[in-house]
Amino acid sequence: MSAETTVYLGTGRRKTSTARVRITEGTGKLVANGRAFDEYFSHENFSKAALRPLLTVDLREKIDVTANVAGGGVAGQAGAVAHGIARALQK
């Protein structure tokens, strides 16, 4: 059996995009729809926007983020991920 880890969930929305975000303690691994954030969000500004809540609380290297994103365009999806991360951090 593996050790139990605490998982925090948050749902973010922006325009017509929805992101279901799971955060756990870890090493800073960031995954969106099975791909790395930098690979998924085509432009650097979008990945930075999605990470902004983690940078605000200085947890970028301490939390793993997994996001399932659907709907809208890339900018809306980045905003939805940021919203989901912020809501998960509140818990």
Side-chain angles (χ1 to χ4, degrees):
M1 286 282 175
S2 64
E4 289 187 27
T5 59
T6 305
V7 177
Y8 296 99
L9 304 173
T11 300
R13 295 180 189 88
R14 168 127 171 78
K15 296 185 176 182
T16 59
S17 300
T18 303
R20 293 176 297 155
V21 177
R22 298 167 40 120
I23 60 173
T24 58
E25 288 187 32
T27 60
K29 183 178 172 185
L30 307 166
V31 178
N33 290 349
R35 300 190 323 211
F37 264 37
D38 293 335
E39 185 182 319
Y40 185 80
F41 295 113
S42 57
H43 197 272
E44 182 180 353
N45 289 341
F46 297 134
S47 61
K48 283 184 180 179
L51 291 176
R52 191 129 2 230
L54 290 178
L55 299 175
T56 301
V57 294
D58 293 326
L59 293 175
R60 167 66 178 90
E61 300 297 325
K62 299 175 185 173
I63 290 181
D64 291 342
V65 176
T66 305
N68 290 330
V69 193
V74 180
Q77 288 183 354
V81 169
H83 186 219
I85 291 172
R87 290 180 71 177
L89 287 172
Q90 286 180 329
K91 297 178 183 181

